[in-house]
């Protein structure tokens, strides 16, 4: 079992669809993150959860809705997306929040999203 | 504001050749510096990190990096590249005051046999 698992690995959706990305970590970490990776751009931090509470929301459009039901699971609910939202969405975890800048992030393999 | 610059978008080397990937950062305080690698179809994996002390740090897979404060650089090196090193490499700086990890845009490494 890998440390951070993301499903689905690939997703194609229309602009009117509703879908969700799932992330599960088996590392016993307390903090989980969603990043967006677009070509030629730095990784963009979208959301951070610490002990199931959202502690960071980096001006992300409301068409992205995160959910963290427990410290091992993180979801990203998607609705009425735009073509420019097509990207690789990476989930990561760390032992604790408050140590992002000093600690190690463990990443999943990502969910490749294509919005038509 | 903190920033990271990776000047080389794409680098091609022959297998067995030496490698140096450049990283420059901008940060007012002492930075925490990282190199991550992303193999095709994979997430990012930490190669090495610098917090303090010895400015030459060793990482996994035979990589090392040197922190040069005077040049605001943290270049990644490997003496002999293997075909399996073909990947994208990201430099990142930890901003302690904002508790954020700032990533560069990445350098794609291609290795020819």
């Amino acid at each position: 079992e890998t440390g951070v698992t993301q499903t689905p690995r690939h997703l194609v959706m229309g602009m009117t669809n509703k879908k969700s990305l799932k992330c599960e970590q088996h590392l016993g970490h307390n903090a989980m993150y969603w990043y967006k990776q677009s070509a030629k751009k730095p990784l963009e931090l979208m959301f951070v959860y610490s002990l199931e509470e959202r502690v960071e929301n980096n001006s992300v459009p409301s068409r992205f809705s995160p959910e963290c039901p427990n410290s091992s699971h993180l979801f990203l609910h998607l609705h009425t997306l735009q073509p420019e939202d097509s990207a690789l969405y990476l989930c990561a975890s760390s032992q604790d929040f408050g140590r992002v800048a000093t600690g190690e992030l463990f990443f999943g393999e990502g969910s490749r999203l294509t919005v038509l | 504001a903190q920033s990271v610059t990776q000047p080389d978008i794409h680098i091609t080397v022959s297998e067995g050749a030496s490698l140096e990937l450049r990283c420059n950062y901008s940060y007012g305080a002492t930075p925490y510096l990282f190199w991550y690698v992303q193999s095709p179809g994979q997430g990012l994996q930490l190669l090495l990190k610098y917090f303090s002390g010895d400015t030459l740090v060793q990482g996994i897979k035979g990589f090392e990096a040197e922190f040069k404060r005077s040049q605001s650089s943290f270049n990644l090196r490997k003496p002999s590249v293997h075909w399996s090193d073909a990947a994208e490499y990201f430099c990142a700086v930890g901003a302690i005051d904002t508790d954020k990890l700032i990533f560069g845009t990445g350098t794609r490494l291609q290795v020819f046999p």
Side-chain angles (χ1 to χ4, degrees):
Chain A
E1 191 72 78
T2 56
V4 180
T5 305
Q6 290 187 241
T7 55
R9 294 292 309 277
H10 299 272
L11 178 63
V12 179
M13 59 187 290
M15 289 191 284
T16 58
N17 291 159
K18 288 185 180 181
K19 297 286 184 183
S20 296
L21 306 180
K22 178 184 175 182
C23 176
E24 183 174 1
Q25 58 98 357
H26 310 276
L27 301 169
H29 288 169
N30 295 318
M32 295 186 76
Y33 310 79
W34 280 116
Y35 280 87
K36 178 182 179 183
Q37 185 178 27
S38 305
K40 308 274 191 298
K41 289 186 177 181
L43 264 67
E44 300 173 50
L45 178 62
M46 300 175 72
F47 301 104
V48 183
Y49 276 82
S50 175
L51 297 171
E52 300 138 52
E53 277 196 38
R54 191 189 310 182
V55 295
E56 183 96 19
N57 177 351
N58 277 345
S59 303
V60 178
S62 59
R63 57 186 183 268
F64 294 92
S65 174
E67 178 190 2
C68 187
N70 55 64
S71 59
S72 297
H73 293 86
L74 184 64
F75 294 89
L76 188 62
H77 303 300
L78 317 168
H79 62 98
T80 58
L81 295 190
Q82 305 298 311
E84 60 265 29
D85 297 322
S86 298
L88 183 68
Y89 289 84
L90 291 166
C91 175
S93 70
S94 66
Q95 184 61 58
D96 298 293
F97 179 67
R99 293 174 56 188
V100 172
T102 61
E104 178 176 351
L105 293 177
F106 291 80
F107 285 85
E109 295 175 329
S111 293
R112 173 72 61 186
L113 173 66
T114 303
V115 181
L116 301 176
Chain B
Q2 303 87 6
S3 66
V4 176
T5 302
Q6 294 181 248
D8 305 305
I9 296 173
H10 187 197
I11 283 185
T12 301
V13 299
S14 298
E15 191 170 18
S18 64
L19 172 70
E20 182 168 26
L21 302 182
R22 296 183 291 165
C23 172
N24 294 96
Y25 68 90
S26 173
Y27 184 52
T30 299
Y32 290 9
L33 295 161
F34 306 82
W35 275 99
Y36 280 83
V37 62
Q38 185 178 29
S39 297
Q42 304 293 313
L44 279 71
Q45 180 186 19
L46 182 67
L47 277 178
L48 48 79
K49 57 188 176 186
Y50 170 78
F51 286 175
S52 64
D54 192 348
T55 56
L56 184 63
V57 293
Q58 303 297 320
I60 62 172
K61 305 185 182 188
F63 285 91
E64 66 178 26
E66 186 171 13
F67 170 56
K68 293 186 177 179
R69 184 187 301 276
S70 62
Q71 298 177 19
S72 297
S73 70
F74 188 56
N75 294 349
L76 182 71
R77 301 194 295 247
K78 186 169 185 177
S80 178
V81 171
H82 187 262
W83 65 266
S84 60
D85 293 324
E88 187 140 22
Y89 292 80
F90 294 90
C91 182
V93 60
I96 307 306
D97 52 347
T98 59
D99 193 38
K100 290 190 187 298
L101 201 56
I102 311 297
F103 285 88
T105 51
T107 297
R108 181 166 297 280
L109 174 66
Q110 192 170 7
V111 180
F112 280 114

